[in-house]
Each structure stands twice: as C-alpha cells, then as structure tokens.
Amino acid sequence: MLDFAVFGSLFLTLFVIMDPPGITPIFLALTSGRPAKVQRRMAWQAVCVAFGVIAVFGICGQQILDYLHVSVPALMIAGGLLLLLIALDLLTGKTDEPKQTKDVNVALVPLGMPLLAGPGAIVSVILAVQKADGFTGQVSVWTAIVAMHVVLWVVMRYSLVIIRVIKDGGVVLVTRLAGMMLSAIAVQQIINGVLQVIRTS
C-alpha cells in the first residue's frame, strides 16, 4: 500500500522545512506564562491548523494560487514578512496583548501558519501530490503528511516539560533566542522569494 521512496522523500523534506527541533524554542517562547492545559491545547490547535492548510493546498493548491494570481515567490515573501513581525515582537518583548486574543493568534498565527504550514511546506506538498502516481503514490504522500504532523504535535506537547526546568528566567532567554532565530528564518524566506522573482523575470 505504501511507496516507501515517496513516503521517505516527502517526510524528510517536510521534516527539514517544518523543523520540529527548531520549532521547540519558538513554541516555548510564544506559549510561556500560560497554564499547561492551555499550552497543550495550543499545540494541538497549531498542528490542526497546519494540517488543514497543508491539506487544502495539497488538494487544490495550484488552482487556488492560479485563481488569485499569486505566485509562489509572492507567497514566500508575504510569509517571511509576517514571520519578521512576530520575531520583532519576541526580540523586544512586546507581547502584552489581551490573553484570549493572544491565545487564538499564537495557535493560528504564527504557529499554525506560516511557521508550520509555511510557503516551503505548501509548495513541497503541492509538487508531491502532482507527481504522485496512482493510488499507492497518493496514499504514500498523505501518510507522510499525517506522520509529519504527528511528530510536530509530539515535539510541542512534550517540550512543555522544558518550561518546568528552565523557569521564568530561562523562558525570557529562550524568547529572545527564538526571536533571533525566527527573524533569520523570515529574512531567508524573503531572500528566497526575491531570488525566485529575479530568476523568473
């Protein structure tokens, strides 16, 4: 039922792009100060949002982009700018928005999208679905997508143990480091988008 070459190729691609180990400090920074129950719920919500976005683009992504006249480089640049705004907030400590709004925003943006379901992951899935041959190929692609999201949930769910160890001072340090990492990711994404525009022009 599974084409392990297709499964392994897409799973490894998504693992590199979605980067479960790298998402851990960012998740800890964005969810610090909340009860453990809320943090677990946010981890689940973020994974569900990411899977929903990936699934929609996997099924009809190219049609959506064509209909909106949006190019892949434009998607990459927009995602990079959005991540850069979040990174600046983490670096400067400006995260004092109302808690309910903050909870919703963190689960949906930036965790669910564009951090997990970013342009790189979306494009990879669109291409994998288009290239998959027959029923076995499609099953392999979607199994890889589901497996990757299970890994993401497990990593975020059990990264909460780290918060109990590093305490408040450690959380502040992790927040600043996460902001720096996220800003670098955002800038690189913008650069990649600009380079693709230059190549295609």
Side-chain angles (χ1 to χ4, degrees):
M1 284 293 289
L2 275 184
D3 184 331
F4 286 99
V6 173
F7 173 88
S9 175
L10 181 58
F11 183 84
L12 288 175
T13 301
L14 290 178
F15 191 91
V16 171
I17 293 172
M18 300 176 97
D19 191 16
I23 204 70
T24 301
I26 297 171
F27 175 75
L28 293 176
L30 291 172
T31 61
S32 63
R34 295 177 172 82
K37 184 179 179 181
V38 174
Q39 290 172 322
R40 288 194 294 268
R41 187 176 72 241
M42 290 170 68
W44 174 249
Q45 288 175 340
V47 170
C48 287
V49 168
F51 179 77
V53 171
I54 291 289
V56 168
F57 277 93
I59 294 169
C60 50
Q62 194 59 58
Q63 292 87 335
I64 292 173
L65 295 179
D66 291 344
Y67 178 77
L68 296 175
H69 304 291
V70 173
S71 66
V72 171
L75 190 65
M76 295 177 73
I77 294 170
L81 290 172
L82 182 56
L83 286 182
L84 189 57
L85 290 175
I86 302 297
L88 291 174
D89 279 347
L90 290 177
L91 282 168
T92 57
K94 294 177 180 177
T95 54
D96 300 326
E97 55 201 283
K99 189 169 182 183
Q100 286 188 340
T101 305
K102 190 177 177 184
D103 285 350
V104 173
N105 285 344
V106 170
L108 302 180
V109 177
L111 279 176
M113 184 179 179
L115 208 50
L116 297 180
I122 289 172
V123 172
S124 298
V125 168
I126 290 174
L127 294 176
V129 170
Q130 289 176 349
K131 291 178 182 177
D133 294 325
F135 179 75
T136 301
Q138 292 293 332
V139 168
S140 302
V141 165
W142 288 100
T143 303
I145 293 170
V146 171
M148 185 66 248
H149 284 80
V150 170
V151 170
L152 286 167
W153 177 78
V154 169
V155 168
M156 288 192 293
R157 168 69 176 78
Y158 291 100
S159 67
L160 300 177
V161 178
I162 299 172
I163 290 181
R164 301 192 193 106
V165 176
I166 63 177
K167 308 297 183 183
D168 290 343
V171 168
V172 173
L173 177 61
V174 167
T175 299
R176 298 299 180 266
L177 288 173
M180 188 170 63
M181 290 167 51
L182 195 56
S183 62
I185 293 169
V187 171
Q188 186 61 57
Q189 196 161 288
I190 293 170
I191 290 171
N192 292 344
V194 171
L195 288 176
Q196 284 201 27
V197 170
I198 293 172
R199 287 194 204 104
T200 55
S201 61

